[in-house]
Amino acid sequence: MIASGQDGFSLSAGFASNGFGEHSPGGYSLTAVLVCELVMTLFFLLIILGATDKRAPAGFAPIAIGLGLTLIHLISIPVSNTSVNPARSTGPALFVGDWALSQLWLFWVAPIAGAIIAGLIYRAFENPSE
């Protein structure tokens, strides 16, 4: 309702949907967006896993996670409007339909793959004596 109050508002403009190619804010290719989303999600999950680990100082996780997510958004909004979360991508895509739904698969595959890789990396660096 708020967005539609702007003169010239149109869902076809994207409504902050994630996209690649002509629907990327910076015109980035499918490959570039795939790599960006995968890497950003991977690092976001590493931040979450590290900040919430029992070996991390208590009470600082929200600061690390929030600052990490801010940096991720600053880096990747120009590339793809930033996903790192399939639910965040799905909502706007359902409103926009058309091209946003046809590109939605990438914004499910990349974050899930990035999260899996982050989990494997984090597990590889766990203390084996615990």
Side-chain angles (χ1 to χ4, degrees):
M1 179 178 263
I2 293 170
S4 64
Q6 180 187 32
D7 287 339
F9 172 78
S10 171
L11 281 176
S12 65
F15 199 50
S17 288
N18 302 111
F20 54 85
E22 66 182 81
H23 303 294
S24 159
Y28 289 87
S29 69
L30 181 146
T31 304
V33 170
L34 173 69
V35 170
C36 181
E37 290 289 333
L38 190 142
V39 170
M40 294 300 147
T41 305
L42 184 151
F43 278 104
F44 187 44
L45 266 288
L46 286 176
I47 291 167
I48 292 169
L49 291 169
T52 59
D53 190 288
K54 63 183 175 192
R55 297 169 289 181
F60 289 99
I63 296 169
I65 293 168
L67 290 174
L69 189 59
T70 299
L71 180 60
I72 286 165
H73 278 80
L74 290 172
I75 293 167
S76 58
I77 283 175
V79 178
S80 65
N81 274 331
T82 307
S83 176
V84 301
N85 178 347
R88 180 266 177 254
S89 301
T90 302
L94 291 174
F95 280 97
V96 173
D98 191 31
W99 65 265
L101 286 174
S102 70
Q103 293 188 359
L104 183 60
W105 66 270
L106 177 74
F107 302 99
W108 274 81
V109 170
I112 290 171
I116 290 168
I117 295 168
L120 294 172
I121 290 171
Y122 198 77
R123 176 174 262 176
F125 287 99
E126 274 185 326
N127 187 349
S129 66
E130 292 182 10

